Amino acid sequence: MPQIHEKVHELTVGQLAARSGAAVSALHFYESKGLITSRRTSGNQRRYTRDTLRRVAFIRAAQRVGIPLATIREALAELPEERTPTKDDWAHLSEAWRSELDERIKQLNRLRDHLTDCIGCGCLSLNTCVLSNPDDVFGERRSGSRLMVERDGRKAE
């Protein structure tokens, strides 16, 4: 991993990519989504402050546990500008995300447990399909795993 002299306070996109392990395209994407910021030089090159390294690490860690980018952006917006997320920041935010992750785990476990109930043909036309019609929400109105749309665009009843 390339070392950056401690007197260097700004990083090029290439240096940030090399140090963070994120692709340059991912860094550009993060910036377009408001997750990180840069300033432009007179030659229109991006320069990132050193704290961006920790922000990128924070983003990637949150992504690995399944947190959507919009949620990550909201979390980073709570931090003062140009301050690196700390261990306490991560603890606070991860606690807030715990219930969301628990719900996803519950849904994935239900999917895993009922995956063999699918007939596997792709049509998902069982009267109660746990994949496309969880908890049979359409079963009260008609049979089938989903409501069909007629040619004129109205829902069939």
Side-chain angles (χ1 to χ4, degrees):
M1 180 179 325
Q3 296 297 314
I4 299 170
H5 194 278
E6 66 182 53
K7 289 186 179 184
V8 175
H9 296 289
E10 291 186 319
L11 308 172
T12 65
V13 69
Q15 289 170 322
L16 183 59
R19 290 290 308 274
S20 68
V24 169
S25 59
L27 297 173
H28 291 171
F29 180 74
Y30 293 160
E31 189 171 354
S32 74
K33 296 300 180 185
L35 297 163
I36 61 175
T37 59
S38 68
R39 74 167 185 86
R40 297 294 182 128
T41 67
S42 59
N44 203 30
Q45 296 177 334
R46 289 177 169 92
R47 293 293 186 263
Y48 298 91
T49 57
R50 290 178 70 96
D51 67 288
T52 307
L53 275 170
R54 182 152 314 179
R55 282 184 175 257
V56 171
F58 181 93
I59 294 163
R60 292 178 54 134
Q63 282 186 295
R64 277 193 293 277
V65 297
I67 303 300
L69 287 178
T71 304
I72 297 168
R73 182 179 51 246
E74 290 169 8
L76 288 171
E78 293 178 16
L79 300 176
E81 193 66 29
E82 295 190 14
R83 181 171 75 68
T84 59
T86 65
K87 183 178 177 181
D88 288 340
D89 293 329
W90 179 258
H92 172 72
L93 294 168
S94 64
E95 184 61 35
W97 296 334
R98 180 176 289 282
S99 63
E100 182 180 334
L101 292 173
D102 287 343
E103 182 58 32
R104 283 194 203 159
I105 290 167
K106 183 177 160 185
Q107 290 171 352
L108 287 170
N109 283 331
R110 185 171 52 224
L111 174 62
R112 181 202 60 214
D113 294 345
H114 293 288
L115 193 57
T116 56
D117 296 343
C118 177
I119 58 177
C121 69
C123 75
L124 300 173
S125 62
L126 296 171
N127 287 343
T128 57
C129 178
V130 297
L131 297 178
S132 67
N133 187 15
D135 303 320
D136 194 21
V137 295
F138 296 130
E140 297 291 320
R141 295 192 283 189
R142 64 176 287 186
S143 63
S145 63
R146 59 182 174 250
L147 298 177
M148 304 301 288
V149 177
E150 293 179 344
R151 290 183 192 258
D152 66 357
R154 291 181 299 134
K155 290 183 180 173
E157 289 295 332

